[in-house]
Amino acid sequence: RGSGVAMQLVDAVFEWARSEGATEMYLHVTSTISRARAFYEKLDFEFTGKHFTMTRDPRLELLTMRRSLVES
């Protein structure tokens, strides 16, 4: 934790997605893992308002987050 590896990985995915022509990225995060939600919010992901129950574990709720990949 705290080594910056997760940030480097996500940055690499952003660059790859941009090179493929993507303009936005979506992900799902479980509602119970606040540390993960905070990490993605730090990367400018925002909640879309969509959520659903995880198929393989109905006890978990997945929240949809979105981030623009367009440089402003």
Side-chain angles (χ1 to χ4, degrees):
R1 290 186 178 175
S3 67
V5 173
M7 187 74 76
Q8 291 173 350
L9 178 60
V10 173
D11 284 342
V13 172
F14 288 164
E15 289 306 312
W16 170 81
R18 284 187 190 104
S19 75
E20 293 293 314
T23 58
E24 58 189 6
M25 185 165 290
Y26 289 84
L27 61 82
H28 297 112
V29 63
T30 58
S31 60
T32 57
I33 304 176
S34 58
R35 186 175 171 98
R37 292 194 326 264
F39 174 74
Y40 291 123
E41 286 175 330
K42 184 176 164 182
L43 294 172
D44 296 326
F45 277 90
E46 298 177 340
F47 293 104
T48 65
K50 296 181 181 181
H51 56 92
F52 57 94
T53 302
M54 183 181 271
T55 305
R56 65 184 169 97
D57 188 347
R59 296 171 296 171
L60 296 176
E61 180 182 36
L62 295 174
L63 308 174
T64 304
M65 299 181 81
R66 177 198 167 277
R67 182 193 192 276
S68 174
L69 296 177
V70 177
E71 299 288 333
S72 48

PDB file of all heavy atoms in Angstrom, residues 41-63:
ATOM      1  N   GLU A  41     -12.129   7.972  -6.966  1.00  0.00           N
ATOM      2  CA  GLU A  41     -12.556   9.368  -6.921  1.00  0.00           C
ATOM      3  C   GLU A  41     -11.342  10.300  -7.041  1.00  0.00           C
ATOM      4  O   GLU A  41     -11.416  11.338  -7.689  1.00  0.00           O
ATOM      5  CB  GLU A  41     -13.328   9.650  -5.640  1.00  0.00           C
ATOM      6  CG  GLU A  41     -14.719   9.051  -5.654  1.00  0.00           C
ATOM      7  CD  GLU A  41     -15.461   9.209  -4.339  1.00  0.00           C
ATOM      8  OE1 GLU A  41     -14.806   9.256  -3.275  1.00  0.00           O
ATOM      9  OE2 GLU A  41     -16.695   9.281  -4.394  1.00  0.00           O
ATOM     10  N   LYS A  42     -10.243   9.919  -6.437  1.00  0.00           N
ATOM     11  CA  LYS A  42      -9.001  10.688  -6.531  1.00  0.00           C
ATOM     12  C   LYS A  42      -8.520  10.777  -7.979  1.00  0.00           C
ATOM     13  O   LYS A  42      -7.881  11.747  -8.381  1.00  0.00           O
ATOM     14  CB  LYS A  42      -7.934  10.020  -5.652  1.00  0.00           C
ATOM     15  CG  LYS A  42      -6.629  10.736  -5.561  1.00  0.00           C
ATOM     16  CD  LYS A  42      -5.735   9.995  -4.575  1.00  0.00           C
ATOM     17  CE  LYS A  42      -4.295  10.415  -4.697  1.00  0.00           C
ATOM     18  NZ  LYS A  42      -3.426   9.680  -3.785  1.00  0.00           N
ATOM     19  N   LEU A  43      -8.876   9.778  -8.776  1.00  0.00           N
ATOM     20  CA  LEU A  43      -8.511   9.743 -10.200  1.00  0.00           C
ATOM     21  C   LEU A  43      -9.582  10.378 -11.086  1.00  0.00           C
ATOM     22  O   LEU A  43      -9.599  10.173 -12.293  1.00  0.00           O
ATOM     23  CB  LEU A  43      -8.280   8.296 -10.647  1.00  0.00           C
ATOM     24  CG  LEU A  43      -7.079   7.616 -10.011  1.00  0.00           C
ATOM     25  CD1 LEU A  43      -7.058   6.139 -10.373  1.00  0.00           C
ATOM     26  CD2 LEU A  43      -5.795   8.281 -10.439  1.00  0.00           C
ATOM     27  N   ASP A  44     -10.496  11.121 -10.469  1.00  0.00           N
ATOM     28  CA  ASP A  44     -11.568  11.847 -11.167  1.00  0.00           C
ATOM     29  C   ASP A  44     -12.685  10.964 -11.710  1.00  0.00           C
ATOM     30  O   ASP A  44     -13.426  11.387 -12.602  1.00  0.00           O
ATOM     31  CB  ASP A  44     -11.010  12.740 -12.286  1.00  0.00           C
ATOM     32  CG  ASP A  44     -10.124  13.839 -11.745  1.00  0.00           C
ATOM     33  OD1 ASP A  44     -10.405  14.342 -10.636  1.00  0.00           O
ATOM     34  OD2 ASP A  44      -9.136  14.191 -12.413  1.00  0.00           O
ATOM     35  N   PHE A  45     -12.811   9.748 -11.208  1.00  0.00           N
ATOM     36  CA  PHE A  45     -13.989   8.951 -11.540  1.00  0.00           C
ATOM     37  C   PHE A  45     -15.158   9.503 -10.741  1.00  0.00           C
ATOM     38  O   PHE A  45     -14.987   9.928  -9.591  1.00  0.00           O
ATOM     39  CB  PHE A  45     -13.788   7.476 -11.169  1.00  0.00           C
ATOM     40  CG  PHE A  45     -13.033   6.691 -12.200  1.00  0.00           C
ATOM     41  CD1 PHE A  45     -11.651   6.610 -12.145  1.00  0.00           C
ATOM     42  CD2 PHE A  45     -13.697   6.034 -13.219  1.00  0.00           C
ATOM     43  CE1 PHE A  45     -10.944   5.880 -13.084  1.00  0.00           C
ATOM     44  CE2 PHE A  45     -13.001   5.298 -14.165  1.00  0.00           C
ATOM     45  CZ  PHE A  45     -11.621   5.222 -14.099  1.00  0.00           C
ATOM     46  N   GLU A  46     -16.336   9.511 -11.351  1.00  0.00           N
ATOM     47  CA  GLU A  46     -17.553   9.979 -10.691  1.00  0.00           C
ATOM     48  C   GLU A  46     -18.607   8.897 -10.755  1.00  0.00           C
ATOM     49  O   GLU A  46     -18.678   8.131 -11.718  1.00  0.00           O
ATOM     50  CB  GLU A  46     -18.080  11.236 -11.383  1.00  0.00           C
ATOM     51  CG  GLU A  46     -17.123  12.397 -11.324  1.00  0.00           C
ATOM     52  CD  GLU A  46     -17.636  13.609 -12.078  1.00  0.00           C
ATOM     53  OE1 GLU A  46     -18.520  13.451 -12.947  1.00  0.00           O
ATOM     54  OE2 GLU A  46     -17.149  14.710 -11.789  1.00  0.00           O
ATOM     55  N   PHE A  47     -19.470   8.856  -9.751  1.00  0.00           N
ATOM     56  CA  PHE A  47     -20.563   7.897  -9.743  1.00  0.00           C
ATOM     57  C   PHE A  47     -21.589   8.288 -10.796  1.00  0.00           C
ATOM     58  O   PHE A  47     -21.929   9.458 -10.935  1.00  0.00           O
ATOM     59  CB  PHE A  47     -21.217   7.829  -8.368  1.00  0.00           C
ATOM     60  CG  PHE A  47     -20.312   7.244  -7.322  1.00  0.00           C
ATOM     61  CD1 PHE A  47     -19.698   8.052  -6.389  1.00  0.00           C
ATOM     62  CD2 PHE A  47     -20.066   5.884  -7.295  1.00  0.00           C
ATOM     63  CE1 PHE A  47     -18.843   7.515  -5.437  1.00  0.00           C
ATOM     64  CE2 PHE A  47     -19.211   5.339  -6.355  1.00  0.00           C
ATOM     65  CZ  PHE A  47     -18.606   6.159  -5.422  1.00  0.00           C
ATOM     66  N   THR A  48     -22.064   7.297 -11.527  1.00  0.00           N
ATOM     67  CA  THR A  48     -23.059   7.563 -12.573  1.00  0.00           C
ATOM     68  C   THR A  48     -24.481   7.503 -12.015  1.00  0.00           C
ATOM     69  O   THR A  48     -25.407   7.926 -12.681  1.00  0.00           O
ATOM     70  CB  THR A  48     -22.968   6.527 -13.713  1.00  0.00           C
ATOM     71  OG1 THR A  48     -23.323   5.239 -13.194  1.00  0.00           O
ATOM     72  CG2 THR A  48     -21.582   6.509 -14.327  1.00  0.00           C
ATOM     73  N   GLY A  49     -24.629   6.958 -10.831  1.00  0.00           N
ATOM     74  CA  GLY A  49     -25.962   6.762 -10.254  1.00  0.00           C
ATOM     75  C   GLY A  49     -26.493   5.362 -10.520  1.00  0.00           C
ATOM     76  O   GLY A  49     -27.512   4.963  -9.973  1.00  0.00           O
ATOM     77  N   LYS A  50     -25.795   4.610 -11.366  1.00  0.00           N
ATOM     78  CA  LYS A  50     -26.220   3.237 -11.662  1.00  0.00           C
ATOM     79  C   LYS A  50     -25.569   2.281 -10.680  1.00  0.00           C
ATOM     80  O   LYS A  50     -24.406   2.447 -10.312  1.00  0.00           O
ATOM     81  CB  LYS A  50     -25.852   2.856 -13.090  1.00  0.00           C
ATOM     82  CG  LYS A  50     -26.563   3.676 -14.125  1.00  0.00           C
ATOM     83  CD  LYS A  50     -26.188   3.240 -15.521  1.00  0.00           C
ATOM     84  CE  LYS A  50     -26.910   4.114 -16.542  1.00  0.00           C
ATOM     85  NZ  LYS A  50     -26.583   3.717 -17.898  1.00  0.00           N
ATOM     86  N   HIS A  51     -26.308   1.309 -10.276  1.00  0.00           N
ATOM     87  CA  HIS A  51     -25.782   0.282  -9.373  1.00  0.00           C
ATOM     88  C   HIS A  51     -26.577  -0.994  -9.587  1.00  0.00           C
ATOM     89  O   HIS A  51     -27.707  -0.958 -10.080  1.00  0.00           O
ATOM     90  CB  HIS A  51     -25.851   0.733  -7.905  1.00  0.00           C
ATOM     91  CG  HIS A  51     -27.216   1.116  -7.473  1.00  0.00           C
ATOM     92  ND1 HIS A  51     -28.088   0.233  -6.897  1.00  0.00           N
ATOM     93  CD2 HIS A  51     -27.871   2.297  -7.554  1.00  0.00           C
ATOM     94  CE1 HIS A  51     -29.215   0.852  -6.634  1.00  0.00           C
ATOM     95  NE2 HIS A  51     -29.111   2.103  -7.027  1.00  0.00           N
ATOM     96  N   PHE A  52     -25.971  -2.111  -9.248  1.00  0.00           N
ATOM     97  CA  PHE A  52     -26.657  -3.392  -9.385  1.00  0.00           C
ATOM     98  C   PHE A  52     -26.028  -4.411  -8.456  1.00  0.00           C
ATOM     99  O   PHE A  52     -24.926  -4.220  -7.955  1.00  0.00           O
ATOM    100  CB  PHE A  52     -26.652  -3.877 -10.847  1.00  0.00           C
ATOM    101  CG  PHE A  52     -25.291  -4.019 -11.450  1.00  0.00           C
ATOM    102  CD1 PHE A  52     -24.635  -5.239 -11.441  1.00  0.00           C
ATOM    103  CD2 PHE A  52     -24.660  -2.930 -12.037  1.00  0.00           C
ATOM    104  CE1 PHE A  52     -23.371  -5.371 -11.995  1.00  0.00           C
ATOM    105  CE2 PHE A  52     -23.396  -3.046 -12.599  1.00  0.00           C
ATOM    106  CZ  PHE A  52     -22.759  -4.274 -12.577  1.00  0.00           C
ATOM    107  N   THR A  53     -26.735  -5.479  -8.262  1.00  0.00           N
ATOM    108  CA  THR A  53     -26.273  -6.555  -7.395  1.00  0.00           C
ATOM    109  C   THR A  53     -25.322  -7.449  -8.173  1.00  0.00           C
ATOM    110  O   THR A  53     -25.568  -7.783  -9.331  1.00  0.00           O
ATOM    111  CB  THR A  53     -27.476  -7.386  -6.901  1.00  0.00           C
ATOM    112  OG1 THR A  53     -28.360  -6.506  -6.225  1.00  0.00           O
ATOM    113  CG2 THR A  53     -27.052  -8.490  -5.964  1.00  0.00           C
ATOM    114  N   MET A  54     -24.232  -7.828  -7.529  1.00  0.00           N
ATOM    115  CA  MET A  54     -23.266  -8.716  -8.172  1.00  0.00           C
ATOM    116  C   MET A  54     -23.908 -10.091  -8.378  1.00  0.00           C
ATOM    117  O   MET A  54     -24.482 -10.649  -7.444  1.00  0.00           O
ATOM    118  CB  MET A  54     -22.001  -8.844  -7.309  1.00  0.00           C
ATOM    119  CG  MET A  54     -20.930  -9.688  -7.940  1.00  0.00           C
ATOM    120  SD  MET A  54     -19.474  -9.845  -6.883  1.00  0.00           S
ATOM    121  CE  MET A  54     -18.542  -8.435  -7.402  1.00  0.00           C
ATOM    122  N   THR A  55     -23.792 -10.608  -9.574  1.00  0.00           N
ATOM    123  CA  THR A  55     -24.423 -11.875  -9.922  1.00  0.00           C
ATOM    124  C   THR A  55     -23.903 -13.035  -9.076  1.00  0.00           C
ATOM    125  O   THR A  55     -24.680 -13.807  -8.524  1.00  0.00           O
ATOM    126  CB  THR A  55     -24.207 -12.189 -11.413  1.00  0.00           C
ATOM    127  OG1 THR A  55     -24.686 -11.091 -12.175  1.00  0.00           O
ATOM    128  CG2 THR A  55     -24.936 -13.451 -11.809  1.00  0.00           C
ATOM    129  N   ARG A  56     -22.590 -13.135  -8.947  1.00  0.00           N
ATOM    130  CA  ARG A  56     -22.036 -14.295  -8.241  1.00  0.00           C
ATOM    131  C   ARG A  56     -22.098 -14.175  -6.724  1.00  0.00           C
ATOM    132  O   ARG A  56     -21.876 -15.154  -6.015  1.00  0.00           O
ATOM    133  CB  ARG A  56     -20.611 -14.583  -8.691  1.00  0.00           C
ATOM    134  CG  ARG A  56     -19.606 -13.547  -8.365  1.00  0.00           C
ATOM    135  CD  ARG A  56     -18.240 -13.920  -8.948  1.00  0.00           C
ATOM    136  NE  ARG A  56     -17.337 -12.817  -8.856  1.00  0.00           N
ATOM    137  CZ  ARG A  56     -16.448 -12.674  -7.876  1.00  0.00           C
ATOM    138  NH1 ARG A  56     -16.353 -13.580  -6.940  1.00  0.00           N
ATOM    139  NH2 ARG A  56     -15.666 -11.626  -7.855  1.00  0.00           N
ATOM    140  N   ASP A  57     -22.375 -12.968  -6.219  1.00  0.00           N
ATOM    141  CA  ASP A  57     -22.527 -12.786  -4.776  1.00  0.00           C
ATOM    142  C   ASP A  57     -23.574 -11.706  -4.534  1.00  0.00           C
ATOM    143  O   ASP A  57     -23.253 -10.521  -4.444  1.00  0.00           O
ATOM    144  CB  ASP A  57     -21.204 -12.391  -4.133  1.00  0.00           C
ATOM    145  CG  ASP A  57     -21.280 -12.390  -2.611  1.00  0.00           C
ATOM    146  OD1 ASP A  57     -22.402 -12.454  -2.057  1.00  0.00           O
ATOM    147  OD2 ASP A  57     -20.221 -12.317  -1.982  1.00  0.00           O
ATOM    148  N   PRO A  58     -24.835 -12.099  -4.444  1.00  0.00           N
ATOM    149  CA  PRO A  58     -25.924 -11.135  -4.314  1.00  0.00           C
ATOM    150  C   PRO A  58     -25.865 -10.266  -3.056  1.00  0.00           C
ATOM    151  O   PRO A  58     -26.615  -9.318  -2.931  1.00  0.00           O
ATOM    152  CB  PRO A  58     -27.186 -12.000  -4.302  1.00  0.00           C
ATOM    153  CG  PRO A  58     -26.766 -13.389  -4.525  1.00  0.00           C
ATOM    154  CD  PRO A  58     -25.278 -13.462  -4.505  1.00  0.00           C
ATOM    155  N   ARG A  59     -24.946 -10.566  -2.156  1.00  0.00           N
ATOM    156  CA  ARG A  59     -24.797  -9.717  -0.964  1.00  0.00           C
ATOM    157  C   ARG A  59     -24.062  -8.423  -1.284  1.00  0.00           C
ATOM    158  O   ARG A  59     -24.089  -7.475  -0.504  1.00  0.00           O
ATOM    159  CB  ARG A  59     -24.038 -10.462   0.136  1.00  0.00           C
ATOM    160  CG  ARG A  59     -24.766 -11.695   0.658  1.00  0.00           C
ATOM    161  CD  ARG A  59     -23.880 -12.494   1.556  1.00  0.00           C
ATOM    162  NE  ARG A  59     -22.746 -12.988   0.757  1.00  0.00           N
ATOM    163  CZ  ARG A  59     -21.674 -13.582   1.253  1.00  0.00           C
ATOM    164  NH1 ARG A  59     -21.559 -13.762   2.546  1.00  0.00           N
ATOM    165  NH2 ARG A  59     -20.715 -14.002   0.471  1.00  0.00           N
ATOM    166  N   LEU A  60     -23.393  -8.387  -2.457  1.00  0.00           N
ATOM    167  CA  LEU A  60     -22.589  -7.226  -2.824  1.00  0.00           C
ATOM    168  C   LEU A  60     -23.290  -6.360  -3.864  1.00  0.00           C
ATOM    169  O   LEU A  60     -23.859  -6.859  -4.823  1.00  0.00           O
ATOM    170  CB  LEU A  60     -21.233  -7.661  -3.372  1.00  0.00           C
ATOM    171  CG  LEU A  60     -20.328  -8.397  -2.389  1.00  0.00           C
ATOM    172  CD1 LEU A  60     -19.059  -8.846  -3.087  1.00  0.00           C
ATOM    173  CD2 LEU A  60     -20.001  -7.515  -1.192  1.00  0.00           C
ATOM    174  N   GLU A  61     -23.206  -5.057  -3.659  1.00  0.00           N
ATOM    175  CA  GLU A  61     -23.741  -4.096  -4.615  1.00  0.00           C
ATOM    176  C   GLU A  61     -22.571  -3.455  -5.357  1.00  0.00           C
ATOM    177  O   GLU A  61     -21.582  -3.051  -4.740  1.00  0.00           O
ATOM    178  CB  GLU A  61     -24.538  -3.016  -3.884  1.00  0.00           C
ATOM    179  CG  GLU A  61     -25.117  -1.987  -4.821  1.00  0.00           C
ATOM    180  CD  GLU A  61     -25.861  -0.885  -4.084  1.00  0.00           C
ATOM    181  OE1 GLU A  61     -25.428  -0.495  -2.986  1.00  0.00           O
ATOM    182  OE2 GLU A  61     -26.866  -0.431  -4.630  1.00  0.00           O
ATOM    183  N   LEU A  62     -22.688  -3.385  -6.670  1.00  0.00           N
ATOM    184  CA  LEU A  62     -21.668  -2.752  -7.500  1.00  0.00           C
ATOM    185  C   LEU A  62     -22.148  -1.371  -7.925  1.00  0.00           C
ATOM    186  O   LEU A  62     -23.284  -1.201  -8.368  1.00  0.00           O
ATOM    187  CB  LEU A  62     -21.384  -3.590  -8.742  1.00  0.00           C
ATOM    188  CG  LEU A  62     -20.777  -4.965  -8.481  1.00  0.00           C
ATOM    189  CD1 LEU A  62     -20.675  -5.744  -9.780  1.00  0.00           C
ATOM    190  CD2 LEU A  62     -19.411  -4.827  -7.837  1.00  0.00           C
ATOM    191  N   LEU A  63     -21.273  -0.392  -7.781  1.00  0.00           N
ATOM    192  CA  LEU A  63     -21.552   0.975  -8.193  1.00  0.00           C
ATOM    193  C   LEU A  63     -20.792   1.249  -9.477  1.00  0.00           C
ATOM    194  O   LEU A  63     -19.622   0.874  -9.606  1.00  0.00           O
ATOM    195  CB  LEU A  63     -21.104   1.953  -7.109  1.00  0.00           C
ATOM    196  CG  LEU A  63     -21.610   1.686  -5.701  1.00  0.00           C
ATOM    197  CD1 LEU A  63     -20.958   2.648  -4.716  1.00  0.00           C
ATOM    198  CD2 LEU A  63     -23.112   1.799  -5.646  1.00  0.00           C
TER     199      LEU A  63
END
